[in-house]
Amino acid sequence: MGKLTELSLVVEFAGLRLRSRTMNASGVLGMSAPLLRRVYESGAGAAVTKSLGPTGRPGHSNPTVVEVEGGVLNAMGLPNPGVGYFADEVRELKREGITVVSSFFASTLKEFSESARALSEAGSDALELNLSCPNVEGEVGMCAADAASVERVTAAVKAASDKPVFVKLSPNVTDIVQIAVAAEKGGADAITATNTLKAMAIDADFRRPVLANVTGGLSGPALKPVSLRCVWEIFDAVEIPIIGCGGVSGWRDAVEYLLAGASAVQIGAAVRDGGFEVFGEVNAGVLEYMRRNSYGSVAEIVGGAHRE
Ligand code: DHB
């Protein structure tokens, strides 16, 4: 007879106490306090902001989004109102008791440190470093392609803030393991794997690239096997926890990420069209999977596919 204990999704993650292991992926519904509130009310363990820059940016011209086989391509160009403006939204969310992860990017160490300080002072529970946007390489650089830069930026942010720091990595690199190890050396508290995969679409009738930026970041189901492989590889190389991100649209995807070595998942493309219920579905589905397979905790699932 199994014990009649209450199964729980509550987790101590990278120094945070989360009520579930789901979050929204940065960039999806993270532009305002009301949308982040809905993410949280729908069952996410934390709400993740759209990536914020030191100052506001209008982003790229349209078209910025196109559906492709197996997913969505986007090249928004990191549009955002700036850290200063958004700090007030973070304060509002914190007044309501919502767990907030502030995602941000910058081009210099000084800007990274200043943004980290401002977002921490506003009350963010954790910071997520977006070192990996594929669409603004010429402007802010794709820092996540270089291990030494990742270590330096992570260390600078850790020195400027006492909050847990998640480092979000790019799949557009030769060896993501080397980059994850550099983030850990820099003091990262968790790795988010992964950001979008650089891709493009061409219209046969117009004979031109569809996106104004020509290339964009691929997310959705087509990204899942790539990010899953990244999580699998990183799990063997670092001690810090991993957040799986890429193509999660149901509990089965989440369980696959847990088995690969993730301790939490972020959900992006599946929420984009207002599918807030996905957080509750994934949470309930993981609990049901635990019951069916006699797991006592989610921690027992993490990395399970690595064991003989
Ligand atoms: C954008 C940023 C990202 O980090 C990403 O993965 C895709 C798109 C952007 O704002 O262009």
Side-chain angles (χ1 to χ4, degrees):
M1 288 288 280
K3 274 193 295 178
L4 285 173
T5 46
E6 190 66 36
L7 288 176
S8 167
L9 291 173
V10 175
V11 59
E12 302 287 336
F13 180 88
L16 298 179
R17 187 173 173 80
L18 302 180
R19 60 181 193 172
S20 82
R21 297 182 187 240
T22 50
M23 307 172 201
N24 61 309
S26 174
V28 179
L29 303 179
M31 249 335 193
S32 69
L35 284 171
L36 289 168
R37 185 182 303 122
R38 275 201 68 190
V39 164
Y40 195 73
E41 284 169 354
S42 306
V48 186
T49 70
K50 168 94 182 134
S51 292
L52 301 161
T55 52
R57 287 173 58 91
H60 295 320
S61 330
N62 286 322
T64 52
V65 185
V66 57
E67 271 188 40
V68 294
E69 305 87 332
V72 182
L73 265 183
N74 89 86
M76 310 302 289
L78 293 170
N80 80 95
V83 163
Y85 173 90
F86 210 82
D88 286 338
E89 305 276 297
V90 172
R91 284 191 194 93
E92 185 182 328
L93 291 163
K94 287 315 301 170
R95 275 195 293 276
E96 297 167 24
I98 293 171
T99 305
V100 182
V101 178
S102 292
S103 168
F104 70 110
F105 66 94
S107 344
T108 64
L109 284 180
K110 184 163 176 281
E111 282 178 358
F112 270 111
S113 302
E114 285 170 1
S115 296
R117 211 167 287 126
L119 290 167
S120 302
E121 280 167 13
S124 307
D125 295 278
L127 304 176
E128 184 174 81
L129 275 175
N130 181 359
L131 303 181
S132 45
C133 171
N135 304 326
V136 291
E137 286 170 47
E139 299 161 75
V140 300
M142 225 282 284
C143 172
D146 178 61
S149 304
V150 168
E151 184 176 343
R152 231 181 357 257
V153 171
T154 307
V157 167
K158 283 299 289 179
S161 165
D162 56 2
K163 306 289 182 177
V165 173
F166 308 164
V167 178
K168 185 164 183 177
L169 298 185
S170 172
N172 306 309
V173 295
T174 310
D175 181 10
I176 196 166
V177 170
Q178 198 194 342
I179 312 286
V181 168
E184 186 178 48
K185 272 199 203 141
D189 297 279
I191 300 285
T192 307
T194 65
N195 211 312
T196 54
L197 194 55
K198 189 171 177 178
M200 76 178 293
I202 292 179
D203 188 301
D205 298 316
F206 290 111
R207 297 182 218 111
R208 288 285 179 275
V210 176
L211 296 174
N213 188 56
V214 180
T215 61
L218 175 67
S219 59
L223 180 59
K224 193 182 82 174
V226 176
S227 302
L228 200 61
R229 181 269 301 169
C230 292
V231 169
W232 174 276
E233 290 180 350
I234 294 167
F235 180 74
D236 283 329
V238 302
E239 299 291 324
I240 52 178
I242 305 165
I243 305 167
C245 180
V248 175
S249 60
W251 66 266
R252 193 171 271 280
D253 305 312
V255 166
E256 289 168 15
Y257 272 105
L258 294 171
L259 289 167
S263 297
V265 293
Q266 291 183 347
I267 307 176
V271 194
R272 192 182 305 267
D273 302 322
F276 290 96
E277 62 284 348
V278 68
F279 298 106
E281 284 166 12
V282 169
N283 291 341
V286 170
L287 277 177
E288 185 51 34
Y289 176 83
M290 286 162 67
R291 271 187 211 105
R292 269 202 316 279
N293 294 282
S294 308
Y295 282 108
S297 69
V298 184
E300 292 169 21
I301 310 175
V302 174
H306 291 254
R307 294 189 275 273
E308 306 253 301

